[in-house]
Amino acid sequence: MGEPEEGGGGGGGGLRRGSLALLTDLYQFTMAYGYWRGGRHREPAHFELFFRRCPFQGAFAHCAGLGECLAFLRAFRFSPADIEYLESVLPVTTDKAFFDYLLTVDASEVSVSSVPEGSVVFSKVPLFQVKGPLLVVQLLETTLLCLVNYASLVATNAARFRLAAGPHKKLMEMGLRRAQGPDGGLSASRYSYMGGFDFTSNVLAGKLYGIPLRGTVAHSYVSSFTSLAEVNPRSLLPLGSKEEPVDFLSLVETWLSQVCQLLHVPLDQVNYGELAAFVSYAITFPHNFQGLVDTYCVMKSGIPNFCAVALALNELGYRAIGVRLDSGDLAKQSVEIRCLFRTCSRHFQVPWFETVPIAVSNDVSELSLKELTQEGNEIDMIGVGTHLVTCPLQPSLGCVYKLVEVNGCPRLKVTEDKEKATIPGSKVVYRLWDAAGFPCMDLLALEEESPPRAGQEVEFWPLGGAEGAGKVTPAAVEILHRVYLKNGQVCQPLPSLLEIRNHALASLSKLNPAHKRLQEPEAYQVAMTEKLHILLTALQRDSQ
C-alpha cells in the first residue's frame, strides 16, 4: 500500500514520467485564457466524469485508471519549454502575462472523489468528482478522460470474458502484438488483469505491474526443426539424481513406439521435426514443458509426440505442464485429447496424466468463448488477444467530463438530445442494497441533503426518461465515493494492482445475475432524490 508512483499507482510504476500537462486538446488552453482574461480563473468549480451508456450493450462497467490519474495530478505543472511551445501555437494576441501565470499552475488546490478502483459502476453515475479552481480543473479534462476511458473499457471487457469463461478456467491476455501501440499494450495487460484475467504474455507488464507471466513456444520454433538429428544436446539428468545423464532422445523414441501402438497411430504419420522440437524444448525446460500440438496433424502427430515426451519426462521425475491448441474446433479437440490422456494414464499407470492442462488460443472472442462453454469442453486455459485489447465490439467507452457547479451555483447542459443533458449540482451518490444482498439502486442526492437510511422508505425519480416518482426501502446504504486527493495531496493509501483485481472480482460477484447477463441484461436503476429532481426541473425551465 502507498501513494502511486509517477505514471503508476495500483501495482507499480508505468512508462510515463514527469508532467503530462500538454497531453490535452488545444481548446482547453483557449478556454483557460478566456477564464483568466475575464478574471474567473480562480472561481471554485466542480466537474463530474461519467459515461452515458454501459459498454458492450451490457448493464455494468468497471471503474479503472484512478491510480494513473492521481499520478498525473501530482505531477501536473508546466515547464518553461511547455510554456515556450504554447506561446508558439496560441494566437499572437495572447497576453504574455497569461503564460507567466501558467508557470505557477499546478493541482495543489484540486480535490478528487472517486469510486474505489475496480468497483462496478453504471451509466450516468460519476466515476470521478473533481473540484478546484475553474482554470485548472478545465485543463485536466482531456487527460483524465484519456486515462479513464480505455482503462475502464478494457477492464470491463476482461470482466465479460471472465463471466463467459466461468470461474474455473484460467485466462491469459496475449494481445500485445495487436494492441494500439506500446502504451495501449501495457494498459491492456494491466487492466485485463484487473478485470479478471490470470496471466499475461507481456514481459514488460509483468515487470512493471507484477502480473504473472505465461508463454512457451510459437509454431516457428516447432517448424524450425526437420529431423531428430537436430536435437542437441540429447541427454537429460534425472530429477534429484546424481547419476549420469540419460540419452533422453532414445528414451522418447521408445515411448513413442508404445504410445503410437496404444493410440493406433502409424509411426510413419508422426512428424519427426515436431518431435525434435518437443524433445529439444523438454531438455531445455524439463520442469516447464508444454507442447504446441497443432503445427501439423493434432491427433496423428502432435498428441502422440507430446505424450511420448511427457511420459519420458515422467520416467525421469519431471511433469509436463500441458498442451496448447491454436487452430481448429477447440472444444471438440479438447474433448478428444482429454480422452487420449485418460487412456495413457490408465494404460501406463501414470495418474496425473489424465489431468494434463489443455490451453487454447485462436482469435478467441466473447461469442466464441460463450459457444465453447455451451458445447462442453476439457479446456483449462484460454488465451485471448485481439478481441480483448482492441475491444472491437465497442472501441470507446465514451466517458465525458461535465461542469456541474461554479461558484456554488449549479450548472447543467441543456440540449435537444435528452441523453446528453447533465445533472446539476455538487452531489453525493448512495448505493442502495436490497434484502437479498444485491445493489439495487444508485441514488444521486445534493450534498446538503440528509442521507437515506437502511430500513427507511426513500422516494426517488428515475434517470433516463422514466416518468413519475417511485419508492424503495433499502436494506443497507453506502456512500459510493471516497476522497482520494485533497488539495493536491493523496489522502489515503492506494491498493496494489492485485488488491484492485480482488476488489473488482468481489464487486462483480455481488451484482445481481440479472445485471451480469452478457446478452439482454436487466438495466440497473439509477435515480435522483426529489430535491435534486426539483432543482433539475427548475434549471431546465429557466433555460428555455
Side-chain angles (χ1 to χ4, degrees):
M1 304 283 281
E3 292 188 356
E5 300 176 19
E6 290 187 4
L15 288 182
R16 305 185 187 98
R17 289 293 183 266
S19 175
L20 295 179
L22 291 188
L23 186 66
T24 189
D25 297 304
L26 181 60
Y27 80 169
Q28 305 293 3
F29 290 103
T30 60
M31 286 189 285
Y33 182 58
Y35 294 144
W36 178 85
R37 190 169 176 81
R40 304 185 59 216
H41 54 291
R42 291 198 52 78
E43 290 182 0
H46 184 176
F47 282 79
E48 291 179 342
L49 189 154
F50 60 95
F51 56 87
R52 296 188 176 104
R53 293 184 183 180
C54 290
F56 310 112
Q57 298 183 344
F60 73 91
H62 278 294
C63 175
L66 173 62
E68 289 193 282
C69 287
L70 295 178
F72 156 66
L73 291 168
R74 290 178 62 212
F76 181 78
R77 61 189 58 86
F78 297 99
S79 70
D82 293 338
I83 299 302
E84 183 179 356
Y85 178 73
L86 286 172
E87 287 189 80
S88 74
V89 296
L90 288 174
V92 295
T93 55
T94 305
D95 191 330
K96 301 300 181 185
F98 172 65
F99 298 109
D100 293 335
Y101 178 74
L102 285 183
L103 276 172
T104 69
V105 166
D106 57 24
S108 60
E109 296 179 81
V110 173
S111 296
V112 174
S113 297
S114 170
V115 300
E117 188 162 14
S119 296
V120 167
V121 287
F122 307 99
S123 59
K124 299 184 176 66
V125 177
L127 279 65
F128 290 6
Q129 298 171 321
V130 184
K131 298 180 180 180
L134 178 58
L135 179 148
V136 177
V137 291
Q138 181 70 71
L139 287 174
L140 302 178
E141 175 183 7
T142 302
T143 317
L144 291 178
L145 288 171
C146 179
L147 294 173
V148 171
N149 262 312
Y150 182 65
S152 299
L153 186 71
V154 170
T156 306
N157 200 23
R160 291 177 65 87
F161 272 95
R162 170 48 68 197
L163 288 172
H168 304 300
K169 306 287 188 189
K170 297 295 185 182
L171 293 175
M172 181 174 77
E173 176 273 319
M174 46 189 293
L176 180 59
R177 64 188 63 192
R178 305 287 172 79
Q180 293 92 336
D183 188 66
L186 281 170
S187 294
S189 298
R190 179 178 187 165
Y191 294 110
S192 62
Y193 181 66
M194 192 200 93
F197 272 58
D198 301 283
F199 309 106
T200 182
S201 66
N202 184 340
V203 178
L204 184 56
K207 175 179 182 288
L208 292 175
Y209 310 131
I211 304 171
L213 289 171
R214 288 294 185 273
T216 51
V217 300
H219 292 101
S220 56
Y221 182 87
V222 177
S223 62
S224 72
F225 290 82
T226 59
S227 74
L228 296 178
E230 294 170 312
V231 176
N232 183 38
R234 6 177 334 141
S235 60
L236 179 63
L237 188 68
L239 182 63
S241 173
K242 297 181 181 180
E243 302 173 5
E244 292 296 314
V246 172
D247 185 336
F248 187 66
L249 178 55
S250 296
L251 182 60
V252 169
E253 289 183 286
T254 301
W255 274 106
L256 180 64
S257 177
Q258 297 179 66
V259 168
C260 286
Q261 183 178 1
L262 176 66
L263 304 182
H264 306 291
V265 174
L267 277 170
D268 60 4
Q269 292 190 13
V270 170
N271 186 290
Y272 283 88
E274 179 182 61
L275 181 62
F278 287 2
V279 171
S280 181
Y281 193 78
I283 291 171
T284 306
F285 297 104
H287 292 283
N288 302 93
F289 172 61
Q290 182 186 49
L292 178 59
V293 296
D294 68 327
T295 306
Y296 305 105
C297 180
V298 174
M299 305 309 294
K300 293 183 178 179
S301 182
I303 290 301
N305 280 335
F306 168 80
C307 290
V309 174
L311 289 165
L313 283 171
N314 177 73
E315 186 174 332
L316 300 186
Y318 302 98
R319 183 177 291 193
I321 64 170
V323 296
R324 180 165 76 91
L325 285 165
D326 191 46
S327 59
D329 187 330
L330 302 177
K332 180 181 177 182
Q333 289 182 100
S334 72
V335 172
E336 293 173 347
I337 290 169
R338 180 67 67 208
C339 181
L340 295 183
F341 286 167
R342 289 181 179 131
T343 298
C344 289
S345 176
R346 289 193 300 267
H347 183 81
F348 299 116
Q349 297 184 344
V350 182
W352 65 266
F353 207 83
E354 66 175 330
T355 60
V356 169
I358 300 172
V360 301
S361 51
N362 187 23
D363 205 29
V364 175
S365 66
E366 182 184 305
L367 177 60
S368 66
L369 185 50
K370 179 185 176 184
E371 291 172 348
L372 278 177
T373 303
Q374 291 174 339
E375 289 178 42
N377 62 79
E378 291 287 342
I379 296 167
D380 300 285
M381 181 184 293
I382 303 162
V384 189
T386 305
H387 290 273
L388 174 63
V389 306
T390 66
C391 301
L393 296 179
Q394 181 171 329
S396 174
L397 177 56
C399 283
V400 294
Y401 182 86
K402 297 300 179 182
L403 181 68
V404 296
E405 186 174 284
V406 177
N407 252 343
C409 297
R411 293 288 188 267
L412 83 161
K413 176 181 179 181
V414 180
T415 172
E416 293 181 359
D417 186 346
K418 290 185 177 181
E419 186 183 52
K420 290 193 172 183
T422 58
I423 309 298
S426 293
K427 296 179 280 294
V428 179
V429 183
Y430 300 96
R431 181 156 291 175
L432 310 185
W433 296 73
D434 62 22
F438 296 122
C440 59
M441 177 185 294
D442 282 6
L443 183 68
L444 280 60
L446 293 169
E447 282 186 337
E448 63 267 23
E449 293 189 69
S450 299
R453 297 184 182 278
Q456 294 186 4
E457 189 176 75
V458 177
E459 187 174 28
F460 66 88
W461 291 78
L463 271 62
E467 298 294 333
K471 295 181 180 180
V472 64
T473 302
V477 177
E478 69 169 320
I479 297 176
L480 199 56
H481 295 79
R482 302 177 188 175
V483 178
Y484 284 93
L485 191 79
K486 189 172 182 62
N487 295 326
Q489 297 297 314
V490 176
C491 55
Q492 63 176 295
L494 296 179
S496 68
L497 181 57
L498 179 58
E499 289 170 323
I500 294 170
R501 179 180 187 272
N502 290 338
H503 173 67
L505 293 171
S507 182
L508 187 58
S509 72
K510 295 173 184 176
L511 191 61
N512 191 309
H515 305 314
K516 289 192 287 189
R517 288 199 300 261
L518 299 181
Q519 279 78 42
E520 299 182 354
E522 182 179 314
Y524 182 84
Q525 182 72 72
V526 178
M528 69 183 91
T529 61
E530 181 182 19
K531 190 169 185 178
L532 180 54
H533 178 258
I534 291 171
L535 172 65
L536 173 63
T537 304
L539 290 176
Q540 288 174 333
R541 183 178 60 248
D542 293 345
S543 67
Q544 293 175 354

